Every structure is written in structure tokens, then in C-alpha cells.
Amino acid sequence: MKEANLLHRSNCPIATSLDFVGDKWTLVIVRDMLNGKSRFNDFLESPERITATVLTKRLEAMVKHELVVKKEYVSRPPRYQYLLTEKGQALSSIVLAFCEWGNAQFKQTWKTPEGFGVQQDIL
């Protein structure tokens, strides 16, 4: 079996995409990045209350799948920020569509902020 086949269940574009971003946290982290968050502690402060262990694993997977890059911003002690790549930024239309659907179906959801999905720094 080739290594590429281990990354996803089938060649179905929906199944393959969900294998990369269909877990409980990835699109929430992308949402936060689209709203300007980039540092580990920023993500921990989100209302969904992701744990540090889960966040670490998710960010590692997102780096591995080239959705984000990990960039050192302080060397002593080492501190990193996470920035969307072009591949990760391409998820903005999907995240926005989820927001629109959620707003239409669930009246108690937050309204999508104006300018949402426009990230200045794309790597």
C-alpha cells in the first residue's frame, strides 16, 4: 500500500477532504485564524474550550497536511505562531458557508463578522 493511500479512505473528494478537516476542531481553529488568532494561547481562549493536548495534536496535523505553517516569533523560550498557508486559506469559503448555514438554521448562533475570512498574511 502506498503512503498516500494511508492519508485518506478513498478517492472521493468529500471523504478525502473530511479525512483532513472533518474532525471536531480543525475548522474551528481555521475560523480562529481567519479572525486573526495565531498563537497557541489565543486558540485556548476560544469559547469551545479546546484542551492543550488536543490543540497540540490538531496543530501538528495541520502543519503536516500543509494547512498552516509554524513560525517562531520568540527564541527564548521558543514560542510559535501558526499561519494559514494558501491551502489553508482556501478553506475560508467553506468556513463562511458553514457560518451562513448555521446562522440560517440555528437562530441563536453568532452573526458572522463583516470582513470574516480575509487574512492579511498568507504563507
Side-chain angles (χ1 to χ4, degrees):
M1 182 180 266
K2 294 180 182 178
E3 182 178 347
N5 291 337
L6 297 175
L7 296 177
H8 53 84
R9 296 172 276 174
S10 74
N11 288 330
C12 169
I14 294 170
T16 299
S17 297
L18 288 173
D19 287 341
F20 286 91
V21 299
D23 64 276
K24 184 175 174 177
W25 294 107
T26 299
L27 291 180
V28 172
I29 295 167
V30 170
R31 176 212 61 200
D32 283 351
M33 289 180 173
L34 291 169
N35 278 317
K37 293 183 180 185
S38 65
R39 297 180 180 175
F40 193 87
N41 285 335
D42 295 338
F43 301 121
L44 290 177
E45 293 172 359
S46 293
E48 292 81 14
R49 304 181 71 102
I50 189 170
T51 66
T53 302
V54 171
L55 178 58
T56 297
K57 290 178 182 177
R58 282 289 84 217
L59 289 170
E60 287 173 356
M62 293 170 77
V63 169
K64 178 182 176 183
H65 297 304
E66 300 175 344
L67 298 175
V68 300
V69 293
K70 181 178 178 179
K71 183 178 175 183
E72 186 176 78
Y73 68 91
V74 172
S75 58
R76 289 185 157 213
R79 296 285 184 251
Y80 301 92
Q81 63 182 349
Y82 298 86
L83 302 169
L84 289 170
T85 61
E86 189 173 324
K87 184 177 180 180
Q89 177 69 32
L91 290 167
S92 65
S93 60
I94 294 166
V95 174
L96 183 57
F98 262 109
C99 290
E100 292 170 349
W101 184 82
N103 286 160
Q105 303 305 316
F106 308 103
K107 300 302 178 197
Q108 76 280 12
T109 57
W110 304 319
K111 297 302 175 210
T112 306
E114 191 163 325
F116 175 77
V118 179
Q119 183 189 20
Q120 301 301 324
D121 300 321
I122 301 174
L123 301 177

